[in-house]
Amino acid sequence: MKEKILVTGGTGYIGSHTTVELQNAGYDVVIIDNLSNSNESVLDGIQAITGIRPVFVKGDCTDIDTLRKLFEENPGIKGIINFAASKAVGESVQKPLLYYRNNLNTLINLLELMPEFGVKGIVFSSSCTVYGEPDLNPIDETAPIKPATSPYGNTKQISEEIIEDYVKSGAPIKSILLRYFNPIGAHPSALIGELPLGVPQNLVPYLTQTAAGIRKELTVFGDDYNTPDGSCIRDYIDVVDLAKAHVIAMKRMLDNNDTDPVEIFNLGTGNGLSVLQLIKAFEEATGVPVPHKIGQRRAGDIEKIWADPKKANQVLGWTAQADIKDTMANAWRWQCRVSGKN
Ligand code: NAD
Ligand code: UFG
């Protein structure tokens, strides 16, 4: 029998790509999403790619009764991947309680219900934001956690601690905490991708919208950093590679009895790219110019961070595969689709 996985936030950006990979790997998926940052039509894309429409529950994970009903109506859920969260760093500074309530109550409700419904493991979406500005790059999982610079980042740190404390208390569950670096790109089919809502705050959606003529020009936030070309460096990870890591993590939790109850993995490529290098990669991959100018530094930005992904490579047997140019071409194909260019 196929194993059943609950994907919270499954119509969102990373959740939809992970649902595709879970279904491709033979898992049954139940999605819960309140559609606060996604659209139900994403289910059509998932179905078109995999031939399977996941079970969908429109509901809010901060409401424990909704979750309890979901577990009752979908018996046999063995694992959870918890993507559901609010994720805009700037907004979290303006509305901290919204972020603490949404991100923490969602997690606490899920953890509380897991033993009651016999759910063995939970994969949690954490972030390299927990490392702050690294003293040394590449950064591995043993690096110190730095004080969070936003309520959003703090919810990731607190969530990791809540999971560790709960497991330490003897709760009969396992967890894998995945610290993502910078997820970008879209499914190569261009049937799912990152939905642009309002003015994008992140680099790649802003870049593709600029290339599509929706934005006049991209501002590079600073070229006076201590990096080879002066712009900030990140570890950009293709969303499909990232999604595949979740399937491996889930399998490890459910099928392997000898692993530690809580494990932490960085998910990145191990390569740092500057903002200017990324723009160049896009232009080379697509032949489409990106009008851009150098602007002021953005407050709170980290200068440079990239992953040491050795632990994920060796322990999970997972390595990021995508070439950055293919990733940028996929991001562009998705942009063209959502802006009606093809
Ligand atoms: P997303 O906004 O596209 O997806 C999150 C989904 O969760 C959305 O569909 C939203 O409608 C849903 N949601 C939010 N609150 C909910 C609730 N209370 N109940 C039910 N559904 C709810 O974001 P994403 O980029 O796919 O991110 C997924 C996870 O990965 C988040 O936890 C995010 O913090 C984390 N993460 C993302 C990045 C990134 O750069 N995208 C980096 C590190 C970590
Ligand atoms: N940037 C620009 N111009 C823009 C947007 C971004 O130059 O218009 C630069 C930023 O200064 C930064 C880089 O592009 O140097 C990447 O910025 P993003 O906003 O795309 O990503 P961040 O690394 O700042 O943060 C993202 C998520 C966080 C998450 C973190 C690590 O927004 O939530 O990755 O996963 F915590």
Side-chain angles (χ1 to χ4, degrees), residues 87 89 127-129 152 180-182 201-203 206 218-221 232 234 236 275 298 301:
K87 65 159 185 178
V89 176
S127 166
C128 68
T129 194
Y152 166 74
Y180 311 156
F181 282 67
N182 287 56
Q201 304 300 309
N202 296 116
L203 178 59
Y206 204 104
L218 171 72
T219 303
V220 176
F221 295 143
C232 291
R234 296 286 184 278
Y236 295 96
V275 177
R298 181 172 68 177
D301 256 340

mmCIF file of all heavy atoms in Angstrom, residues 87 89 127-129 152 180-182 201-203 206 218-221 232 234 236 275 298 301, ligand 2:
data_model
loop_
_atom_site.group_PDB
_atom_site.id
_atom_site.type_symbol
_atom_site.label_atom_id
_atom_site.label_comp_id
_atom_site.label_asym_id
_atom_site.label_seq_id
_atom_site.Cartn_x
_atom_site.Cartn_y
_atom_site.Cartn_z
ATOM 1 N N LYS A 87 6.027 34.058 5.151
ATOM 2 C CA LYS A 87 7.471 34.041 4.875
ATOM 3 C C LYS A 87 8.098 35.366 4.432
ATOM 4 O O LYS A 87 9.245 35.388 4.012
ATOM 5 C CB LYS A 87 7.764 32.978 3.830
ATOM 6 C CG LYS A 87 7.149 33.264 2.468
ATOM 7 C CD LYS A 87 7.837 32.506 1.353
ATOM 8 C CE LYS A 87 7.270 32.904 0.015
ATOM 9 N NZ LYS A 87 7.881 32.275 -1.131
ATOM 10 N N VAL A 89 9.967 38.538 5.033
ATOM 11 C CA VAL A 89 10.802 39.070 6.113
ATOM 12 C C VAL A 89 10.347 40.486 6.526
ATOM 13 O O VAL A 89 10.140 40.766 7.708
ATOM 14 C CB VAL A 89 12.284 39.096 5.675
ATOM 15 C CG1 VAL A 89 13.157 39.739 6.741
ATOM 16 C CG2 VAL A 89 12.764 37.685 5.361
ATOM 17 N N SER A 127 15.584 27.464 7.538
ATOM 18 C CA SER A 127 16.219 28.385 6.606
ATOM 19 C C SER A 127 17.648 28.666 7.041
ATOM 20 O O SER A 127 17.960 28.663 8.245
ATOM 21 C CB SER A 127 15.415 29.683 6.607
ATOM 22 O OG SER A 127 16.129 30.710 5.986
ATOM 23 N N CYS A 128 18.493 28.982 6.062
ATOM 24 C CA CYS A 128 19.858 29.378 6.413
ATOM 25 C C CYS A 128 19.873 30.714 7.131
ATOM 26 O O CYS A 128 20.911 31.132 7.638
ATOM 27 C CB CYS A 128 20.726 29.446 5.163
ATOM 28 S SG CYS A 128 20.278 30.774 4.054
ATOM 29 N N THR A 129 18.724 31.350 7.201
ATOM 30 C CA THR A 129 18.627 32.609 7.940
ATOM 31 C C THR A 129 18.994 32.399 9.423
ATOM 32 O O THR A 129 19.426 33.340 10.084
ATOM 33 C CB THR A 129 17.209 33.217 7.773
ATOM 34 O OG1 THR A 129 17.219 34.545 8.213
ATOM 35 C CG2 THR A 129 16.156 32.451 8.526
ATOM 36 N N TYR A 152 10.301 36.843 11.404
ATOM 37 C CA TYR A 152 10.225 35.648 10.541
ATOM 38 C C TYR A 152 11.373 34.691 10.869
ATOM 39 O O TYR A 152 11.162 33.501 11.124
ATOM 40 C CB TYR A 152 10.275 36.030 9.057
ATOM 41 C CG TYR A 152 10.527 34.841 8.161
ATOM 42 C CD1 TYR A 152 9.538 33.898 7.916
ATOM 43 C CD2 TYR A 152 11.793 34.625 7.574
ATOM 44 C CE1 TYR A 152 9.781 32.779 7.116
ATOM 45 C CE2 TYR A 152 12.045 33.521 6.774
ATOM 46 C CZ TYR A 152 11.032 32.603 6.554
ATOM 47 O OH TYR A 152 11.283 31.493 5.773
ATOM 48 N N TYR A 180 17.001 25.492 4.204
ATOM 49 C CA TYR A 180 17.130 25.832 2.782
ATOM 50 C C TYR A 180 18.029 27.054 2.634
ATOM 51 O O TYR A 180 17.927 28.002 3.413
ATOM 52 C CB TYR A 180 15.789 26.231 2.147
ATOM 53 C CG TYR A 180 14.617 25.327 2.394
ATOM 54 C CD1 TYR A 180 13.324 25.846 2.308
ATOM 55 C CD2 TYR A 180 14.763 23.974 2.683
ATOM 56 C CE1 TYR A 180 12.216 25.051 2.510
ATOM 57 C CE2 TYR A 180 13.650 23.172 2.885
ATOM 58 C CZ TYR A 180 12.391 23.716 2.812
ATOM 59 O OH TYR A 180 11.285 22.924 3.018
ATOM 60 N N PHE A 181 18.810 27.065 1.567
ATOM 61 C CA PHE A 181 19.493 28.294 1.176
ATOM 62 C C PHE A 181 18.507 29.056 0.271
ATOM 63 O O PHE A 181 17.375 29.245 0.668
ATOM 64 C CB PHE A 181 20.897 27.970 0.639
ATOM 65 C CG PHE A 181 21.824 27.706 1.837
ATOM 66 C CD1 PHE A 181 21.621 26.582 2.649
ATOM 67 C CD2 PHE A 181 22.786 28.619 2.218
ATOM 68 C CE1 PHE A 181 22.373 26.371 3.809
ATOM 69 C CE2 PHE A 181 23.555 28.409 3.363
ATOM 70 C CZ PHE A 181 23.348 27.290 4.153
ATOM 71 N N ASN A 182 18.842 29.507 -0.911
ATOM 72 C CA ASN A 182 17.876 30.341 -1.653
ATOM 73 C C ASN A 182 17.190 29.559 -2.773
ATOM 74 O O ASN A 182 17.763 29.410 -3.857
ATOM 75 C CB ASN A 182 18.580 31.573 -2.227
ATOM 76 C CG ASN A 182 18.914 32.584 -1.151
ATOM 77 O OD1 ASN A 182 19.591 32.261 -0.183
ATOM 78 N ND2 ASN A 182 18.433 33.799 -1.298
ATOM 79 N N GLN A 201 9.702 40.690 -3.621
ATOM 80 C CA GLN A 201 10.763 41.148 -2.730
ATOM 81 C C GLN A 201 12.059 40.381 -2.991
ATOM 82 O O GLN A 201 13.140 40.836 -2.650
ATOM 83 C CB GLN A 201 10.363 40.931 -1.252
ATOM 84 C CG GLN A 201 9.052 41.584 -0.862
ATOM 85 C CD GLN A 201 9.070 43.082 -1.050
ATOM 86 O OE1 GLN A 201 9.979 43.770 -0.592
ATOM 87 N NE2 GLN A 201 8.080 43.620 -1.767
ATOM 88 N N ASN A 202 11.916 39.199 -3.590
ATOM 89 C CA ASN A 202 13.085 38.345 -3.806
ATOM 90 C C ASN A 202 13.682 38.578 -5.186
ATOM 91 O O ASN A 202 13.000 39.017 -6.111
ATOM 92 C CB ASN A 202 12.710 36.867 -3.630
ATOM 93 C CG ASN A 202 12.274 36.570 -2.203
ATOM 94 O OD1 ASN A 202 11.138 36.202 -1.959
ATOM 95 N ND2 ASN A 202 13.177 36.764 -1.264
ATOM 96 N N LEU A 203 14.954 38.257 -5.302
ATOM 97 C CA LEU A 203 15.710 38.611 -6.501
ATOM 98 C C LEU A 203 15.159 37.988 -7.800
ATOM 99 O O LEU A 203 14.923 38.696 -8.773
ATOM 100 C CB LEU A 203 17.179 38.188 -6.306
ATOM 101 C CG LEU A 203 18.101 38.438 -7.482
ATOM 102 C CD1 LEU A 203 18.145 39.909 -7.861
ATOM 103 C CD2 LEU A 203 19.515 37.945 -7.159
ATOM 104 N N TYR A 206 11.804 39.207 -9.185
ATOM 105 C CA TYR A 206 11.947 40.603 -9.632
ATOM 106 C C TYR A 206 12.701 40.647 -10.966
ATOM 107 O O TYR A 206 12.342 41.370 -11.895
ATOM 108 C CB TYR A 206 12.666 41.457 -8.574
ATOM 109 C CG TYR A 206 12.317 42.924 -8.704
ATOM 110 C CD1 TYR A 206 11.444 43.541 -7.818
ATOM 111 C CD2 TYR A 206 12.822 43.699 -9.764
ATOM 112 C CE1 TYR A 206 11.095 44.882 -7.956
ATOM 113 C CE2 TYR A 206 12.475 45.028 -9.916
ATOM 114 C CZ TYR A 206 11.613 45.616 -9.005
ATOM 115 O OH TYR A 206 11.259 46.937 -9.150
ATOM 116 N N LEU A 218 15.765 46.350 -12.579
ATOM 117 C CA LEU A 218 16.125 45.689 -11.332
ATOM 118 C C LEU A 218 17.167 46.536 -10.624
ATOM 119 O O LEU A 218 18.098 47.043 -11.262
ATOM 120 C CB LEU A 218 16.705 44.302 -11.663
ATOM 121 C CG LEU A 218 17.334 43.528 -10.513
ATOM 122 C CD1 LEU A 218 16.267 43.017 -9.550
ATOM 123 C CD2 LEU A 218 18.137 42.346 -11.059
ATOM 124 N N THR A 219 16.988 46.719 -9.339
ATOM 125 C CA THR A 219 18.022 47.404 -8.565
ATOM 126 C C THR A 219 18.893 46.372 -7.872
ATOM 127 O O THR A 219 18.385 45.502 -7.158
ATOM 128 C CB THR A 219 17.382 48.330 -7.501
ATOM 129 O OG1 THR A 219 16.519 49.248 -8.169
ATOM 130 C CG2 THR A 219 18.434 49.098 -6.727
ATOM 131 N N VAL A 220 20.177 46.445 -8.110
ATOM 132 C CA VAL A 220 21.130 45.588 -7.385
ATOM 133 C C VAL A 220 21.414 46.293 -6.059
ATOM 134 O O VAL A 220 21.920 47.425 -6.053
ATOM 135 C CB VAL A 220 22.432 45.404 -8.201
ATOM 136 C CG1 VAL A 220 23.457 44.599 -7.405
ATOM 137 C CG2 VAL A 220 22.127 44.758 -9.544
ATOM 138 N N PHE A 221 21.059 45.624 -4.973
ATOM 139 C CA PHE A 221 21.167 46.279 -3.668
ATOM 140 C C PHE A 221 22.621 46.294 -3.169
ATOM 141 O O PHE A 221 23.017 45.502 -2.330
ATOM 142 C CB PHE A 221 20.263 45.590 -2.643
ATOM 143 C CG PHE A 221 18.784 45.702 -2.943
ATOM 144 C CD1 PHE A 221 17.925 44.639 -2.672
ATOM 145 C CD2 PHE A 221 18.234 46.861 -3.476
ATOM 146 C CE1 PHE A 221 16.561 44.731 -2.932
ATOM 147 C CE2 PHE A 221 16.868 46.969 -3.750
ATOM 148 C CZ PHE A 221 16.037 45.892 -3.482
ATOM 149 N N CYS A 232 26.168 41.090 -3.207
ATOM 150 C CA CYS A 232 26.025 40.025 -2.196
ATOM 151 C C CYS A 232 26.064 38.638 -2.826
ATOM 152 O O CYS A 232 25.652 38.454 -3.979
ATOM 153 C CB CYS A 232 24.684 40.157 -1.488
ATOM 154 S SG CYS A 232 24.553 41.575 -0.434
ATOM 155 N N ARG A 234 24.915 34.539 -2.545
ATOM 156 C CA ARG A 234 23.981 33.553 -1.989
ATOM 157 C C ARG A 234 24.210 32.207 -2.654
ATOM 158 O O ARG A 234 24.837 32.119 -3.705
ATOM 159 C CB ARG A 234 22.516 33.965 -2.291
ATOM 160 C CG ARG A 234 22.075 35.268 -1.643
ATOM 161 C CD ARG A 234 21.843 35.096 -0.156
ATOM 162 N NE ARG A 234 21.332 36.321 0.438
ATOM 163 C CZ ARG A 234 22.081 37.360 0.806
ATOM 164 N NH1 ARG A 234 23.399 37.335 0.636
ATOM 165 N NH2 ARG A 234 21.527 38.426 1.348
ATOM 166 N N TYR A 236 22.093 29.692 -4.513
ATOM 167 C CA TYR A 236 20.783 29.534 -5.165
ATOM 168 C C TYR A 236 20.553 28.072 -5.518
ATOM 169 O O TYR A 236 21.332 27.482 -6.259
ATOM 170 C CB TYR A 236 20.709 30.421 -6.420
ATOM 171 C CG TYR A 236 20.777 31.888 -6.068
ATOM 172 C CD1 TYR A 236 21.986 32.588 -6.114
ATOM 173 C CD2 TYR A 236 19.641 32.575 -5.632
ATOM 174 C CE1 TYR A 236 22.057 33.939 -5.760
ATOM 175 C CE2 TYR A 236 19.704 33.917 -5.284
ATOM 176 C CZ TYR A 236 20.911 34.587 -5.343
ATOM 177 O OH TYR A 236 20.976 35.910 -4.998
ATOM 178 N N VAL A 275 24.897 38.624 -6.957
ATOM 179 C CA VAL A 275 23.712 39.138 -7.667
ATOM 180 C C VAL A 275 24.071 39.390 -9.136
ATOM 181 O O VAL A 275 23.331 39.002 -10.046
ATOM 182 C CB VAL A 275 23.193 40.439 -7.002
ATOM 183 C CG1 VAL A 275 22.015 41.018 -7.774
ATOM 184 C CG2 VAL A 275 22.815 40.191 -5.547
ATOM 185 N N ARG A 298 20.437 47.039 0.876
ATOM 186 C CA ARG A 298 19.147 46.812 1.545
ATOM 187 C C ARG A 298 19.427 46.525 3.019
ATOM 188 O O ARG A 298 20.276 45.688 3.335
ATOM 189 C CB ARG A 298 18.435 45.619 0.890
ATOM 190 C CG ARG A 298 17.085 45.303 1.476
ATOM 191 C CD ARG A 298 16.337 44.257 0.666
ATOM 192 N NE ARG A 298 16.946 42.927 0.727
ATOM 193 C CZ ARG A 298 16.427 41.840 0.144
ATOM 194 N NH1 ARG A 298 15.318 41.932 -0.570
ATOM 195 N NH2 ARG A 298 17.024 40.674 0.249
ATOM 196 N N ASP A 301 20.598 43.016 4.990
ATOM 197 C CA ASP A 301 21.099 41.960 4.096
ATOM 198 C C ASP A 301 22.393 41.339 4.615
ATOM 199 O O ASP A 301 23.267 42.034 5.143
ATOM 200 C CB ASP A 301 21.360 42.532 2.688
ATOM 201 C CG ASP A 301 20.282 42.148 1.698
ATOM 202 O OD1 ASP A 301 19.560 41.169 1.966
ATOM 203 O OD2 ASP A 301 20.169 42.833 0.661
HETATM 204 N N1 UFG B 2 18.459 41.583 -4.316
HETATM 205 C C1 UFG B 2 18.716 42.646 -5.168
HETATM 206 N N2 UFG B 2 17.643 43.257 -5.746
HETATM 207 C C2 UFG B 2 16.362 42.868 -5.539
HETATM 208 C C3 UFG B 2 16.111 41.771 -4.665
HETATM 209 C C4 UFG B 2 17.198 41.154 -4.070
HETATM 210 O O1 UFG B 2 19.860 43.016 -5.387
HETATM 211 O O2 UFG B 2 15.437 43.486 -6.089
HETATM 212 C C5 UFG B 2 19.613 40.899 -3.690
HETATM 213 C C6 UFG B 2 19.592 40.943 -2.181
HETATM 214 O O3 UFG B 2 20.231 42.109 -1.720
HETATM 215 C C7 UFG B 2 20.373 39.673 -1.848
HETATM 216 C C8 UFG B 2 20.047 38.720 -2.992
HETATM 217 O O4 UFG B 2 19.533 39.530 -4.036
HETATM 218 O O5 UFG B 2 21.732 39.947 -1.890
HETATM 219 C C9 UFG B 2 19.002 37.692 -2.632
HETATM 220 O O6 UFG B 2 17.879 38.358 -2.063
HETATM 221 P P1 UFG B 2 16.488 37.623 -1.801
HETATM 222 O O7 UFG B 2 15.558 38.631 -1.224
HETATM 223 O O8 UFG B 2 16.054 36.899 -3.017
HETATM 224 O O9 UFG B 2 16.878 36.503 -0.736
HETATM 225 P P2 UFG B 2 17.509 36.637 0.725
HETATM 226 O O10 UFG B 2 18.789 35.871 0.705
HETATM 227 O O11 UFG B 2 17.562 38.011 1.189
HETATM 228 O O12 UFG B 2 16.412 35.891 1.625
HETATM 229 C C10 UFG B 2 15.740 34.711 1.197
HETATM 230 C C11 UFG B 2 14.349 34.665 1.795
HETATM 231 C C12 UFG B 2 14.418 34.504 3.288
HETATM 232 C C13 UFG B 2 15.221 33.298 3.621
HETATM 233 C C14 UFG B 2 16.571 33.372 2.972
HETATM 234 C C15 UFG B 2 17.343 32.109 3.179
HETATM 235 O O13 UFG B 2 13.646 35.861 1.492
HETATM 236 O O14 UFG B 2 13.129 34.308 3.785
HETATM 237 O O15 UFG B 2 16.449 33.577 1.560
HETATM 238 O O16 UFG B 2 16.593 31.011 2.770
HETATM 239 F F1 UFG B 2 15.375 33.210 4.964
#
